[in-house]
Amino acid sequence: MIGFLDRLTRPLLHALDPEDAHGLAIKMLKFAPLPPAPRDDKRLALRVFGLNVPNPVGIAAGFDKNAEAPDALLRLGFGFVEVGTITPLPQPGNPRPRLFRLDADHGVINRLGFNSQGADAALKRLAARSNAGGVVGINVGANKDSADRVADYVQLIERFAAVASYVTVNISSPNTPGLRNLQQASVLDDLLARVVDARERVAPNAGPTPVLLKIAPDLSLGDLDDVVGIARSRQVDGMIVGNTTVARPPTLLETAIAKEAGGLSGRPLFPLANRMLAETYVRVEGVFPLIGAGGIDSGATALAKMRAGASLIQVYSGLVFRGLGLVAEIKNTLLEALETEGQDNLQDFIGADAAAVTAEEWPH
Ligand SMILES: Cc1cc2nc3c(=O)[nH]c(=O)nc-3n(C[C@H](O)[C@H](O)[C@H](O)COP(=O)(O)O)c2cc1C
């Protein structure tokens, strides 16, 4: 069924303007009568952030920004789904065009700027499926015109904790001016203190909600020292490494499109994202788990991401170029690796290569 849908729709989706294609994909998912996903091999299951995932392959934030199709995405075989970024109030984002495909590079540049239907619309949908099961994380962000961005995050944690498997504090989008300044030490310490406090406040009714921090791959290593130190001292439950990059690797072939402003994702992001993941892993010292995102477009890159330090992984741009078959390919590769290594779960892969990756030449 998935293969059939994929073969039918991919050429059409590829011929469309990228944002129209995305809108159509969400609509199809919302209405496609998908059967439940077949049960995953038990060896792919993991317990992370106190959550049981049937497999480590998630769909990253930004695909289902308004929580329109989390259950359809789970039925496609993802082990978990992250919806959002959701902002408190609806906002249109930046003017179109704001989404570009770098076909020759298997990359994407976006400067969507948190287009969001707002918290009310998403909350209504999530409340309606709150007993449906499955791990559904909610990625939250501040409104562009907010007078108090920290208050936006606090409010969103309070409102979404009850319907979220976990909440991601996204301070790493390059497309909301000034947002990434929240990664600066003094600001971040205050933000995380208030966010974790909000989580504790609502826990008696909402239950325990893991709070994750999503960072940019463009931080300097000195900044990363600070960010990890604060995340540890404020006791967040995990980090996502990471978002899109404002860098443009010199190897890009689509040089004209590469000049578009925005965050680059997909294959050209892999080396930097993987390095930053490993750098984060060695600094975190096992205190909390990491989700690895950025440039996964094959079973091999997914396994490399886990070996660099990811307990769970997320894909987005790879789906544009490889289609939904990517999810099954990754799971198969992980199972093959388990067979080869004689392991019966994925735990031993996580971070096995982190130290080695940090010793490589810096990627560019
Ligand atoms: C079109 C697009 C929209 C995105 N929107 C968001 C978003 O709203 N919030 C967020 O945290 N990340 C967003 N991202 C970043 C992805 O979640 C992911 O971190 C990044 O794309 C790297 O993964 P990839 O190389 O597999 O795409 C977006 C990425 C793309 C391509």
Side-chain angles (χ1 to χ4, degrees):
M1 176 75 173
I2 291 170
F4 174 71
L5 260 181
D6 218 27
R7 274 196 301 281
L8 198 72
T9 54
R10 212 129 60 86
L12 170 71
L13 291 178
H14 233 81
L16 290 176
D17 161 82
E19 195 165 346
D20 290 338
H22 176 255
L24 189 60
I26 292 279
K27 275 213 180 67
M28 288 194 310
L29 280 176
K30 241 173 128 166
F31 298 111
L34 288 167
R39 241 176 226 294
D40 283 313
D41 190 302
K42 280 200 196 64
R43 292 170 294 172
L44 295 177
L46 285 162
R47 188 168 168 82
V48 184
F49 317 122
L51 304 168
N52 292 315
V53 294
N55 74 71
V57 190
I59 183 153
F63 182 78
D64 187 5
K65 281 187 185 264
N66 297 297
E68 292 178 88
D71 295 298
L73 289 164
L74 290 169
R75 272 184 230 122
L76 293 177
F78 289 104
F80 67 109
V81 172
E82 185 166 318
V83 300
T85 294
I86 296 166
T87 56
L89 299 172
Q91 62 176 31
N94 290 321
R96 286 173 75 165
R98 53 192 182 173
L99 182 55
F100 308 89
R101 266 197 327 253
L102 287 74
D103 282 325
D105 301 296
H106 283 210
V108 172
I109 289 176
N110 93 81
R111 53 167 180 271
L112 294 171
F114 285 174
N115 50 319
S116 173
Q117 293 173 5
D120 288 349
L123 192 56
K124 213 163 126 192
R125 293 186 189 116
L126 289 162
R129 55 92 44 213
S130 62
N131 294 322
V135 172
V136 178
I138 301 178
N139 179 306
V140 298
N143 276 117
K144 181 177 173 206
D145 298 330
S146 168
D148 184 349
R149 285 185 168 165
V150 175
D152 279 13
Y153 289 94
V154 168
Q155 164 198 157
L156 290 166
I157 302 265
E158 288 173 349
R159 296 190 67 192
F160 281 96
V163 294
S165 302
Y166 67 85
V167 176
T168 300
V169 175
N170 177 16
I171 49 171
S172 48
S173 165
N175 302 312
T176 296
L179 190 86
R180 287 173 304 155
N181 294 343
L182 294 171
Q183 294 176 127
Q184 284 165 10
S186 60
V187 192
L188 182 65
D189 190 51
D190 175 54
L191 170 70
L192 291 185
R194 289 173 59 188
V195 155
V196 170
D197 186 54
R199 185 266 306 273
E200 301 306 326
R201 229 179 7 257
V202 296
N205 290 322
T209 309
V211 170
L212 315 188
L213 181 68
K214 183 166 178 179
I215 63 168
D218 301 318
L219 291 174
S220 69
L221 292 180
D223 288 342
L224 185 64
D225 288 338
D226 290 344
V227 167
V228 170
I230 294 164
R232 286 177 62 162
S233 75
R234 290 297 173 191
Q235 299 186 323
V236 304
D237 299 277
M239 286 172 57
I240 304 183
V241 188
N243 219 309
T244 57
T245 179
V246 293
R248 297 291 182 267
T251 47
L252 289 176
L253 302 170
E254 302 271 14
T255 48
I257 308 174
K259 292 197 180 77
E260 293 290 347
L264 172 69
S265 56
R267 190 180 285 174
L269 171 59
F270 185 84
L272 176 65
N274 213 50
R275 177 61 176 263
M276 288 303 280
L277 172 68
E279 296 284 355
T280 306
Y281 183 85
V282 297
R283 285 164 173 75
V284 168
E285 298 176 308
V287 169
F288 49 67
L290 305 176
I291 298 181
I296 296 172
D297 65 355
S298 63
T301 45
L303 179 58
K305 206 59 124 184
M306 295 193 80
R307 297 187 68 100
S311 293
L312 303 176
I313 55 174
Q314 289 179 325
V315 296
Y316 187 163
S317 305
L319 297 169
V320 174
F321 297 97
R322 299 290 323 283
L324 289 168
L326 177 61
V327 183
E329 180 194 318
I330 293 173
K331 292 188 213 175
N332 287 336
T333 301
L334 295 178
L335 286 170
E336 279 163 22
L338 287 173
E339 296 280 346
T340 310
E341 307 269 325
Q343 306 281 353
D344 61 6
N345 67 68
L346 295 167
Q347 207 62 49
D348 282 352
F349 290 147
I350 300 166
D353 292 344
V357 171
T358 62
E360 289 168 6
E361 198 184 322
W362 193 264
H364 35 236

